[in-house]
Amino acid sequence: MYTDFLKPVTKELQDFAKSCNSFCIGANVNFEKEVLVDPNEFKQKEKIALIGVQEFRSLNSEEQEDTDFNFLRTSLYELKKGNWTIPIYDFGDIIAFDHKFDSGEVFQKVLTSLLKDQFFVIILGGSPSLGFYQYRAYDSVIKNLHYFTVDEKMRFGNPLHQANDNNYLSKIIDSEPLNLLDFTHIGYQTYFVGQEELDLIEQLNFEALRLGQINQDLKEIEPYTREAHAGLINLSSIEAHCYESSKDLTPNGFNSREICGVAKYIGLSSVLSSIYISNYIERYKKVDHLLVSQLIWYLVDGRNHRPERKNFDDTQYFDKIFVPSDVQVFVFYRNIQTDQWWIEINESEEEEGNRIIPCSSQDYTKALEGEIPYKWWKYFKKFY
């Protein structure tokens, strides 16, 4: 039982949550799993789980700093609840262990159990290296995982070492079982990334979105996260003058409004089931607590308002647009209500039907200009 590995939220915090007025998140948070006559009914209900992972330790150092989420939780509980219908459960924090490897294994087991109980899991954490164990938690849950990271750096280190803050992406890509179908890196800063790392992303037909590219149009990240199953937000990707409660501070990065916008688009993902918010260290700065709690608010808000999945043949919801070209006739779908775009991919003769993948309005514009849409070309290179 995953609750055996979780230290519940303190009674003081639970009392504080209950003392918040009825419009606040705290007054509406559950701290214990519902007891139902039919356990299968609980599994089928849509619900959100909040857990913390307190350990923050480097592979190359015995230094350990257990971070605390009490002030952050206080800030979150005080925020006003949106027009939400999905219940929120705060199950507390994973019990600290003597060795980082043990904590990673326990975290993986807890997350797997929560996913199998159909929770959308928001994880508050320290070490970004636990992103590897987040990925491995899906081994028995989902095949062909779509994963993303929001980070100023690409963490490609020696995959032969135990997972750490500098190599967890290499571990995800190289370790067996190989379950990574697609990967997107969001917000990298060029001076922190080697050309060899960008070349590797290109060779694997994965995606990397530069910070400056996103700053020009934040909405461009939405097609890349729309069908992601899991992801990691590294809080060090926020510029230091907006956020200081992180292990690695940088003068450039997302500002406070942008990171909340990123969280909103992530929350709108149609299949997302876990998001790991990493690199948080308690610096006793109220404004930092408030920013992370607002980031969580936008994740939850996006989850509650994500578009309902509809049949692409339903003309009440979708425009179907044909764009002739020298290569082929490209077929686009536009959701009339959300203005989201998809493009149709012709599968091989062995496959039945065609695959429809997310794209942006820019892909449609390129097709109109006689160019091959970017998302179509990336998919073609990956599978043909």
Side-chain angles (χ1 to χ4, degrees):
M1 187 66 181
Y2 51 81
T3 51
D4 295 339
F5 300 103
L6 290 163
K7 179 173 61 178
V9 174
T10 64
K11 185 180 184 303
E12 291 75 16
L13 263 180
Q14 291 191 37
D15 290 342
F16 172 81
K18 294 172 184 175
S19 71
C20 295
N21 70 53
S22 60
F23 300 110
C24 293
I25 292 175
N28 295 276
V29 169
N30 305 285
F31 295 99
E32 294 182 0
K33 182 175 175 179
E34 288 181 344
V35 178
L36 297 173
V37 176
D38 183 1
N40 291 324
E41 183 182 345
F42 179 79
K43 282 192 176 185
Q44 295 306 316
K45 289 180 64 178
E46 189 171 14
K47 48 204 176 291
I48 296 170
L50 181 69
I51 63 171
V53 186
Q54 294 180 335
E55 187 183 61
F56 206 140
R57 180 167 45 174
S58 170
L59 173 69
N60 301 318
S61 172
E62 291 301 318
E63 179 184 358
Q64 180 175 345
E65 183 175 359
D66 289 343
T67 195
D68 186 275
F69 304 113
N70 286 349
F71 289 105
L72 196 158
R73 280 189 165 98
T74 300
S75 180
L76 176 64
Y77 295 162
E78 288 182 314
L79 295 182
K80 296 299 187 288
K81 176 176 172 284
N83 182 22
W84 303 340
T85 58
I86 305 174
I88 301 173
Y89 295 78
D90 190 343
F91 288 130
D93 302 328
I94 290 179
I95 299 168
F97 285 76
D98 292 335
H99 302 288
K100 182 179 180 182
F101 182 75
D102 294 336
S103 294
E105 292 288 325
V106 170
F107 167 59
Q108 180 179 328
K109 291 178 181 178
V110 170
L111 180 55
T112 298
S113 296
L114 287 168
L115 293 172
K116 289 183 176 180
D117 269 357
Q118 303 299 312
F119 278 99
F120 169 61
V121 190
I122 299 174
I123 306 140
L124 307 174
S127 175
S129 66
L130 289 176
F132 169 69
Y133 296 97
Q134 177 195 17
Y135 164 72
R136 284 272 76 103
Y138 284 84
D139 287 347
S140 60
V141 179
I142 294 174
K143 292 183 178 180
N144 298 325
L145 191 76
H146 290 224
Y147 191 74
F148 69 87
T149 54
V150 179
D151 201 331
E152 80 278 12
K153 299 178 181 179
M154 293 184 184
R155 313 289 174 160
F156 292 123
N158 190 336
L160 298 179
H161 293 161
Q162 180 183 321
N164 60 70
D165 294 355
N166 296 317
N167 79 342
Y168 70 88
L169 285 184
S170 295
K171 296 284 288 184
I172 287 174
I173 291 172
D174 287 353
S175 66
E176 293 187 352
L178 301 175
N179 193 33
L180 187 65
L181 177 65
D182 206 0
F183 169 72
T184 301
H185 191 96
I186 298 169
Y188 78 88
Q189 298 177 35
T190 310
Y191 33 76
F192 289 143
V193 176
Q195 186 57 47
E196 294 83 359
E197 294 174 303
L198 293 174
D199 291 343
L200 177 61
I201 291 288
E202 180 65 24
Q203 290 166 12
L204 294 172
N205 282 306
F206 293 153
E207 300 282 359
L209 306 179
R210 186 170 52 84
L211 176 66
Q213 176 185 353
I214 299 170
N215 290 152
Q216 293 176 13
D217 188 358
L218 197 65
K219 191 178 180 181
E220 282 302 302
I221 74 165
E222 190 275 332
Y224 294 95
T225 60
R226 191 184 307 164
E227 294 190 353
H229 299 107
L232 177 151
I233 299 176
N234 192 330
L235 294 174
S236 67
S237 63
I238 307 172
E239 54 190 28
H241 82 270
C242 289
Y243 183 78
E244 298 181 20
S245 298
S246 180
K247 181 182 177 184
D248 304 310
L249 299 178
T250 178
N252 290 302
F254 292 107
N255 63 34
S256 56
R257 293 182 184 85
E258 289 169 339
I259 197 64
C260 287
V262 168
K264 178 61 176 285
Y265 284 124
I266 289 171
L268 288 170
S269 167
S270 59
V271 295
L272 187 73
S273 53
S274 77
I275 183 73
Y276 178 38
I277 303 170
S278 73
N279 231 338
Y280 173 84
I281 291 182
E282 178 55 73
R283 301 293 191 201
Y284 302 100
K285 293 183 178 292
K286 187 172 182 179
V287 68
D288 288 352
H289 306 150
L290 191 55
L291 178 56
V292 179
S293 64
Q294 289 175 357
L295 188 158
I296 296 169
W297 189 97
Y298 276 102
L299 286 169
V300 175
D301 190 65
R303 184 70 177 186
N304 276 270
H305 296 105
R306 57 183 177 155
E308 186 179 352
R309 294 174 74 95
K310 299 291 185 180
N311 191 305
F312 288 103
D313 294 327
D314 191 337
T315 56
Q316 180 181 353
Y317 295 97
F318 287 97
D319 287 331
K320 187 174 183 179
I321 307 168
F322 298 86
V323 182
S325 76
D326 294 337
V327 178
Q328 67 171 61
V329 176
F330 294 110
V331 181
F332 290 90
Y333 296 86
R334 183 181 76 90
N335 188 308
I336 299 169
Q337 297 182 338
T338 66
D339 198 34
Q340 292 173 311
W341 289 79
W342 284 261
I343 187 170
E344 187 172 279
I345 307 292
N346 295 324
E347 297 283 15
S348 63
E349 294 181 359
E350 292 78 14
E351 300 287 341
E352 293 186 4
N354 295 331
R355 179 170 174 80
I356 300 173
I357 63 172
C359 69
S360 73
S361 59
Q362 291 188 9
D363 289 292
Y364 172 64
T365 302
K366 291 293 184 184
L368 290 177
E369 295 172 351
E371 299 183 29
I372 297 176
Y374 176 75
K375 292 292 286 185
W376 185 95
W377 178 238
K378 288 289 289 188
Y379 187 91
F380 182 84
K381 288 197 299 180
K382 178 176 291 195
F383 294 103
Y384 296 101

